[in-house]
CSV table of all heavy atoms in Angstrom, one decimal:
chain,number,residue,atom,x,y,z
A,1,MET,N,83.5,145.1,-64.4
A,1,MET,CA,82.4,145.7,-63.6
A,1,MET,C,82.5,145.4,-62.2
A,1,MET,O,82.8,144.2,-61.9
A,1,MET,CB,81.0,145.2,-64.2
A,1,MET,CG,79.8,145.8,-63.6
A,1,MET,SD,78.3,145.3,-64.4
A,1,MET,CE,78.4,146.1,-65.9
A,4,LEU,N,78.7,143.8,-56.9
A,4,LEU,CA,77.6,144.5,-56.1
A,4,LEU,C,77.5,143.8,-54.7
A,4,LEU,O,77.2,142.6,-54.8
A,4,LEU,CB,76.3,144.7,-56.8
A,4,LEU,CG,75.3,145.4,-56.0
A,4,LEU,CD1,75.7,146.8,-55.7
A,4,LEU,CD2,73.9,145.4,-56.8
A,14,ILE,N,65.2,134.9,-54.0
A,14,ILE,CA,64.5,135.2,-55.2
A,14,ILE,C,64.6,134.0,-56.1
A,14,ILE,O,65.6,133.4,-56.3
A,14,ILE,CB,65.1,136.4,-55.9
A,14,ILE,CG1,65.2,137.6,-55.0
A,14,ILE,CG2,64.2,136.7,-57.1
A,14,ILE,CD1,63.8,138.0,-54.5
A,15,LYS,N,63.4,133.5,-56.5
A,15,LYS,CA,63.4,132.4,-57.5
A,15,LYS,C,63.7,133.0,-58.9
A,15,LYS,O,63.5,134.1,-59.2
A,15,LYS,CB,62.0,131.8,-57.5
A,15,LYS,CG,61.6,131.1,-56.2
A,15,LYS,CD,60.2,130.5,-56.3
A,15,LYS,CE,59.8,129.8,-55.0
A,15,LYS,NZ,58.5,129.2,-55.1
A,16,ARG,N,64.2,132.1,-59.7
A,16,ARG,CA,64.6,132.5,-61.0
A,16,ARG,C,63.4,132.8,-62.0
A,16,ARG,O,63.5,133.5,-62.9
A,16,ARG,CB,65.5,131.5,-61.7
A,16,ARG,CG,66.8,131.3,-60.9
A,16,ARG,CD,67.7,130.3,-61.7
A,16,ARG,NE,68.2,130.9,-62.9
A,16,ARG,CZ,69.3,131.7,-63.0
A,16,ARG,NH1,69.9,132.0,-62.0
A,16,ARG,NH2,69.6,132.2,-64.2
A,17,THR,N,62.2,132.2,-61.6
A,17,THR,CA,61.1,132.5,-62.4
A,17,THR,C,60.3,133.6,-61.7
A,17,THR,O,60.3,133.8,-60.5
A,17,THR,CB,60.1,131.3,-62.4
A,17,THR,OG1,59.9,130.8,-61.0
A,17,THR,CG2,60.9,130.1,-63.1
A,18,ARG,N,59.6,134.4,-62.6
A,18,ARG,CA,58.9,135.5,-62.0
A,18,ARG,C,57.5,135.1,-61.7
A,18,ARG,O,56.6,134.7,-62.5
A,18,ARG,CB,58.8,136.6,-63.2
A,18,ARG,CG,60.1,137.1,-63.6
A,18,ARG,CD,60.0,138.3,-64.5
A,18,ARG,NE,59.1,137.9,-65.8
A,18,ARG,CZ,58.8,138.7,-66.7
A,18,ARG,NH1,59.0,140.1,-66.6
A,18,ARG,NH2,58.0,138.3,-67.7
A,22,GLU,N,57.4,138.9,-55.6
A,22,GLU,CA,58.6,139.6,-55.1
A,22,GLU,C,58.2,141.0,-54.8
A,22,GLU,O,57.5,141.6,-55.5
A,22,GLU,CB,59.7,139.5,-56.1
A,22,GLU,CG,60.2,138.1,-56.5
A,22,GLU,CD,59.4,137.5,-57.7
A,22,GLU,OE1,58.4,138.2,-58.1
A,22,GLU,OE2,59.8,136.5,-58.2
A,26,ALA,N,63.4,143.6,-53.7
A,26,ALA,CA,63.9,142.3,-54.1
A,26,ALA,C,64.0,142.3,-55.7
A,26,ALA,O,65.1,141.8,-56.2
A,26,ALA,CB,63.0,141.2,-53.7
A,27,VAL,N,63.0,142.8,-56.4
A,27,VAL,CA,63.1,142.8,-57.8
A,27,VAL,C,64.3,143.7,-58.3
A,27,VAL,O,65.1,143.4,-59.2
A,27,VAL,CB,61.8,143.4,-58.5
A,27,VAL,CG1,61.9,143.6,-59.9
A,27,VAL,CG2,60.7,142.3,-58.2
A,28,ALA,N,64.4,144.9,-57.7
A,28,ALA,CA,65.5,145.8,-58.1
A,28,ALA,C,66.9,145.2,-57.8
A,28,ALA,O,67.8,145.3,-58.6
A,28,ALA,CB,65.3,147.2,-57.4
A,29,VAL,N,67.1,144.7,-56.6
A,29,VAL,CA,68.3,144.1,-56.2
A,29,VAL,C,68.7,143.0,-57.2
A,29,VAL,O,69.8,142.8,-57.7
A,29,VAL,CB,68.3,143.6,-54.8
A,29,VAL,CG1,69.5,142.8,-54.5
A,29,VAL,CG2,68.2,144.8,-53.9
A,30,MET,N,67.7,142.1,-57.5
A,30,MET,CA,68.0,141.0,-58.4
A,30,MET,C,68.4,141.5,-59.8
A,30,MET,O,69.3,140.9,-60.4
A,30,MET,CB,66.8,140.0,-58.4
A,30,MET,CG,67.0,138.8,-59.2
A,30,MET,SD,68.5,137.9,-58.8
A,30,MET,CE,68.1,137.4,-57.2
A,31,ALA,N,67.7,142.5,-60.3
A,31,ALA,CA,68.0,143.0,-61.6
A,31,ALA,C,69.5,143.5,-61.6
A,31,ALA,O,70.2,143.3,-62.6
A,31,ALA,CB,67.1,144.1,-62.0
A,32,ALA,N,69.9,144.1,-60.6
A,32,ALA,CA,71.3,144.7,-60.5
A,32,ALA,C,72.3,143.5,-60.4
A,32,ALA,O,73.3,143.5,-61.0
A,32,ALA,CB,71.4,145.7,-59.4
A,33,MET,N,71.9,142.5,-59.6
A,33,MET,CA,72.9,141.5,-59.3
A,33,MET,C,73.0,140.6,-60.5
A,33,MET,O,74.1,140.0,-60.7
A,33,MET,CB,72.4,140.7,-58.1
A,33,MET,CG,72.7,141.4,-56.8
A,33,MET,SD,72.4,140.3,-55.4
A,33,MET,CE,73.2,141.3,-54.1
A,34,ARG,N,72.0,140.3,-61.2
A,34,ARG,CA,72.1,139.5,-62.4
A,34,ARG,C,73.0,140.2,-63.5
A,34,ARG,O,73.6,139.5,-64.3
A,34,ARG,CB,70.7,139.3,-63.0
A,34,ARG,CG,69.9,138.2,-62.2
A,34,ARG,CD,68.5,138.0,-62.7
A,34,ARG,NE,67.8,136.9,-62.0
A,34,ARG,CZ,66.5,136.7,-62.0
A,34,ARG,NH1,65.8,137.5,-62.6
A,34,ARG,NH2,66.0,135.7,-61.2
A,35,GLU,N,73.0,141.5,-63.5
A,35,GLU,CA,73.9,142.2,-64.4
A,35,GLU,C,75.3,142.2,-64.0
A,35,GLU,O,76.2,142.0,-64.8
A,35,GLU,CB,73.4,143.6,-64.6
A,35,GLU,CG,74.2,144.5,-65.5
A,35,GLU,CD,73.7,145.9,-65.6
A,35,GLU,OE1,72.6,146.2,-65.0
A,35,GLU,OE2,74.5,146.7,-66.2
A,36,ARG,N,75.5,142.4,-62.6
A,36,ARG,CA,76.9,142.6,-62.1
A,36,ARG,C,77.4,141.3,-61.5
A,36,ARG,O,78.7,141.2,-61.3
A,36,ARG,CB,76.9,143.7,-61.2
A,36,ARG,CG,76.5,145.1,-61.7
A,36,ARG,CD,76.3,146.1,-60.6
A,36,ARG,NE,76.1,147.4,-61.2
A,36,ARG,CZ,77.0,148.3,-61.3
A,36,ARG,NH1,78.3,148.1,-61.0
A,36,ARG,NH2,76.8,149.5,-61.8
A,37,GLY,N,76.5,140.5,-60.9
A,37,GLY,CA,77.0,139.4,-60.0
A,37,GLY,C,77.2,140.1,-58.6
A,37,GLY,O,77.4,141.3,-58.5
A,38,GLY,N,77.0,139.3,-57.6
A,38,GLY,CA,77.1,140.0,-56.3
A,38,GLY,C,76.7,139.1,-55.1
A,38,GLY,O,76.4,137.9,-55.2
A,60,HIS,N,72.8,130.8,-54.6
A,60,HIS,CA,71.5,130.5,-55.2
A,60,HIS,C,71.3,131.2,-56.5
A,60,HIS,O,71.2,132.4,-56.6
A,60,HIS,CB,70.4,130.9,-54.2
A,60,HIS,CG,69.0,130.6,-54.6
A,60,HIS,ND1,68.5,129.3,-54.5
A,60,HIS,CD2,68.1,131.3,-55.2
A,60,HIS,CE1,67.3,129.2,-54.9
A,60,HIS,NE2,67.0,130.5,-55.4
A,61,GLY,N,71.4,130.4,-57.6
A,61,GLY,CA,71.4,131.0,-58.9
A,61,GLY,C,72.7,131.9,-59.1
A,61,GLY,O,73.8,131.4,-58.8
A,62,SER,N,72.5,133.1,-59.5
A,62,SER,CA,73.7,134.0,-59.8
A,62,SER,C,74.1,134.8,-58.5
A,62,SER,O,75.0,135.6,-58.7
A,62,SER,CB,73.3,134.9,-60.9
A,62,SER,OG,72.2,135.7,-60.6
A,63,VAL,N,73.4,134.6,-57.4
A,63,VAL,CA,73.7,135.5,-56.3
A,63,VAL,C,74.2,134.6,-55.1
A,63,VAL,O,73.8,133.5,-54.9
A,63,VAL,CB,72.3,136.1,-55.8
A,63,VAL,CG1,72.6,136.9,-54.6
A,63,VAL,CG2,71.7,136.9,-57.0
A,447,GLN,N,67.3,151.4,-60.0
A,447,GLN,CA,68.6,150.9,-59.5
A,447,GLN,C,69.7,151.3,-60.4
A,447,GLN,O,70.8,151.6,-59.9
A,447,GLN,CB,68.5,149.3,-59.4
A,447,GLN,CG,68.2,148.6,-60.7
A,447,GLN,CD,69.4,148.1,-61.5
A,447,GLN,OE1,70.5,148.4,-61.0
A,447,GLN,NE2,69.2,147.5,-62.5
Side-chain angles (χ1 to χ4, degrees):
M1 183 176 291
L4 179 62
I14 308 299
K15 296 180 180 179
R16 298 185 66 86
T17 56
R18 298 185 303 174
E22 302 89 350
V27 172
V29 168
M30 182 53 64
M33 285 188 165
R34 283 176 177 163
E35 178 183 350
R36 296 171 174 266
H60 183 79
S62 60
V63 179
Q447 59 91 359

